Amino acid sequence: MSTLRILGTALVLTLSAPLTLSARASDPEPVVTPVMLKDLADLPGKEMLMLTVEYPPGAVEHIHRHDAYAFVYVLEGTIVEQVRGGKEVTLTPGQTFYEGPGDVHTVGRNASMTKPAKFVVVLVKKIGVDAVLPAE
């Protein structure tokens, strides 16, 4: 995998950040860090993108979608997640969450106003499609 491709993905995520970040300018913003990007040879046209996401205390995301299979694994802290039509869930270290390509991510926030939270996201998506998209 090329360094240029990873840097390009980081740039896309940075430019997409206003779509997924805090509801108000004063709210703390999630920190998204690309970890790995890999074409999936057995799934033509698909790639895997691995990210870490850090929610500072009180961080809240805007409604968004991924157009991907998204697998979340909580490393530290407590996060609250929900997709449209699903139940809101509170997750702690070692717990997981799933979003499908048609899901709209309606809730994403740190459950704590005093402690950070961190999780890993693995996305299986179409090559070249932005990782974060506006909800329709």
Side-chain angles (χ1 to χ4, degrees):
M1 170 175 42
S2 76
T3 301
L4 182 59
R5 191 144 178 226
I6 290 175
L7 291 174
T9 299
L11 179 62
V12 165
L13 291 170
T14 300
L15 295 174
S16 300
L19 298 174
T20 63
L21 299 179
S22 63
R24 297 181 308 262
S26 63
D27 286 342
E29 299 179 354
V31 177
V32 179
T33 305
V35 176
M36 176 190 280
L37 180 65
K38 176 82 173 145
D39 287 350
L40 299 174
D42 292 343
L43 298 172
K46 299 285 186 180
E47 63 187 4
M48 180 280 302
L49 173 62
M50 182 184 295
L51 313 164
T52 59
V53 179
E54 296 180 54
Y55 281 169
V60 177
E61 292 189 86
H62 277 296
I63 295 173
H64 64 277
R65 64 188 190 85
H66 297 288
D67 196 19
Y69 298 92
F71 304 88
V72 174
Y73 181 82
V74 180
L75 297 171
E76 63 184 61
T78 303
I79 64 172
V80 180
E81 301 290 330
Q82 181 179 17
V83 295
R84 185 172 290 152
K87 292 181 180 179
E88 185 175 287
V89 295
T90 300
L91 305 168
T92 58
Q95 293 185 308
T96 60
F97 185 75
Y98 170 78
E99 294 177 53
D103 287 333
V104 174
H105 193 157
T106 55
V107 176
R109 70 175 184 270
N110 187 337
S112 175
M113 296 301 284
T114 60
K115 296 179 183 176
K118 184 175 183 178
F119 54 97
V120 172
V121 181
V122 175
L123 298 166
V124 176
K125 63 184 201 62
K126 294 177 188 170
I127 292 174
V129 172
D130 290 346
V132 178
L133 301 166
E136 296 175 357

